[in-house]
Amino acid sequence: GGMDSIVEAFKAAVPILRYSLHKGECGRIGVIGGSKEYTGAPYFAGVSTMRAGADAAHIFCPDSAAVAIKSYNPDIIVHPILTADEEDKSLDDVTQWYSRLHSLVIGPGLGREDGMMRLVKKLIKEAVALKKNVVIDADGLFLIQHDLEVIRGYDNVILTPNVMEFKRLLNAANKLDPIKEDISEHLTLPEQTKRLASKLGHLTVVCKGQVDIISNGHKVIECTTIGSPRRVSGQGDILSGSIGLFLFWTKMAEKTGNAPPISATLLAAYAACHMTKLCNARAFSVYKRSMLASDMLSVLPEVFASTFEMQS
């Protein structure tokens, strides 16, 4: 059916592994997040990009989070340069990496400290100005709901709210244009998602739930892949990281003229939602109530291979 054709389109965008590739060509992804309390979230976002096939993951975090993240896994590059009380220097230090990174995932584990919110808002503005591939999740969504103009009208950003975050974004969007009609709470969730994406200038919104609803304001696609009833912390970070990597791939496919049948943002979001749900189901079948996000990561390689590799 329709969803099979989306999976096929994504398979065509997955880079073919050739000996002639150079390190980095399959993706260098940056994660901006982490805080003294939350070190797991940026780690899960970063490591999921690598497990899904990125060549390098860079995490930009406060000093207080860096040693913990570095010690989880030596495969990830950790830059302890996200420093709210040295805002200008930190802004320069982080943005000088932007040209080398193919996508940015902003928000995992960030926390909501005022100074950090100010710094990261500037980092988002710079990413938009440079037309980077951007995914915003978690506390990054908390940040933009207070200033939607930061990303409004930029159609190369993907927002990944859960149901509560979605409601808050909806309320914030309704305050934007008092003249235009509000997005009513009585509409269906797909219709609300579509109108929110449209009102924000046709960026892409992934409203996460038992069914993930994905829209860019023109089109709505739903990921009905069965996950599990387990809602463990960390699985949203696996999703946001994967979306960041997949968006680089689908954008590359668009540029090389083998344009996918749906927009790059919708295709990347759908593929990542589908994969994350499959990882959830596979890990849940083994661990049941005890499943952790790290169990999802350990099944990700086999899920990716059986779902997205061209079978020779």
Side-chain angles (χ1 to χ4, degrees):
M3 294 308 157
D4 290 343
S5 67
I6 297 182
V7 170
E8 288 306 311
F10 180 71
K11 282 164 92 161
V14 174
I16 295 165
L17 289 175
R18 297 190 172 93
Y19 283 100
S20 57
L21 285 171
H22 300 294
K23 185 174 79 174
E25 284 183 54
C26 288
R28 290 183 297 268
I29 312 302
V31 178
I32 296 174
S35 54
K36 192 175 182 175
E37 290 80 10
Y38 302 116
T39 54
Y43 168 71
F44 283 128
V47 79
S48 70
T49 70
M50 294 196 73
R51 280 296 185 200
D55 289 339
H58 293 255
I59 296 176
F60 301 88
C61 64
D63 201 25
S64 58
V67 173
I69 301 170
K70 283 176 186 287
S71 64
Y72 298 148
N73 188 328
D75 293 289
I76 289 178
I77 302 154
V78 182
H79 306 268
I81 56 178
L82 201 62
T83 315
D85 47 15
E86 294 176 15
E87 192 178 288
D88 293 340
K89 181 182 185 314
S90 191
L91 194 59
D92 285 347
D93 287 348
V94 178
T95 53
Q96 68 164 345
W97 282 92
Y98 277 15
S99 63
R100 280 174 266 186
L101 300 170
H102 298 116
S103 295
L104 295 164
V105 180
I106 302 175
L110 196 59
R112 297 179 178 180
E113 197 259 312
D114 287 344
M116 190 57 83
M117 296 275 109
R118 267 196 314 276
L119 169 59
V120 174
K121 184 188 288 188
K122 290 182 177 178
L123 287 168
I124 293 173
K125 282 182 175 163
E126 185 66 11
V128 170
L130 293 170
K131 297 189 162 43
K132 305 303 288 182
N133 298 318
V134 177
V135 181
I136 300 178
D137 188 29
D139 291 324
L141 296 170
F142 179 80
L143 187 167
I144 61 161
Q145 94 195 19
H146 297 291
D147 188 0
L148 287 169
E149 296 300 341
V150 178
I151 43 101
R152 190 182 190 186
Y154 182 55
D155 64 3
N156 200 26
V157 64
I158 300 179
L159 311 181
T160 54
N162 60 26
V163 175
M164 281 312 300
E165 290 163 337
F166 181 80
K167 283 202 173 82
R168 292 198 293 258
L169 283 170
L170 214 55
N171 291 337
N174 279 338
K175 294 190 187 104
L176 279 176
D177 308 297
I179 303 108
K180 290 189 192 157
E181 62 173 316
D182 274 5
I183 304 168
S184 161
E185 301 203 330
H186 304 299
L187 294 168
T188 64
L189 204 51
E191 190 54 40
Q192 287 181 346
T193 307
K194 185 177 180 185
R195 292 199 188 183
L196 176 61
S198 169
K199 204 164 195 177
L200 294 180
H202 296 286
L203 47 69
T204 294
V205 178
V206 179
C207 183
K208 300 184 291 193
Q210 187 176 352
V211 171
D212 297 322
I213 300 161
I214 306 159
S215 183
N216 58 0
H218 299 298
K219 191 176 168 70
V220 177
I221 53 178
E222 296 184 23
C223 179
T224 56
T225 309
I226 308 290
S228 83
R230 176 99 166 111
R231 290 282 158 271
V232 65
S233 76
Q235 65 189 48
D237 306 305
I238 293 173
L239 176 68
S240 63
S242 310
I243 294 177
L245 174 65
F246 292 176
L247 182 55
F248 166 56
W249 290 353
T250 58
K251 281 279 176 189
M252 286 298 286
E254 266 185 356
K255 286 193 185 92
T256 53
N258 90 24
I262 56 173
S263 79
T265 55
L266 293 178
L267 186 56
Y270 180 85
C273 287
H274 180 55
M275 182 184 78
T276 304
K277 288 268 204 274
L278 290 173
C279 289
N280 191 306
R282 175 92 48 114
F284 184 78
S285 70
V286 179
Y287 295 98
K288 301 290 192 288
R289 195 184 293 277
S290 306
M291 181 189 78
L292 303 177
S294 34
D295 300 320
M296 288 173 57
L297 277 176
S298 62
V299 299
L300 195 157
E302 59 193 81
V303 166
F304 188 99
S306 59
T307 311
F308 296 140
E309 294 292 3
M310 292 290 189
Q311 302 307 330
S312 48

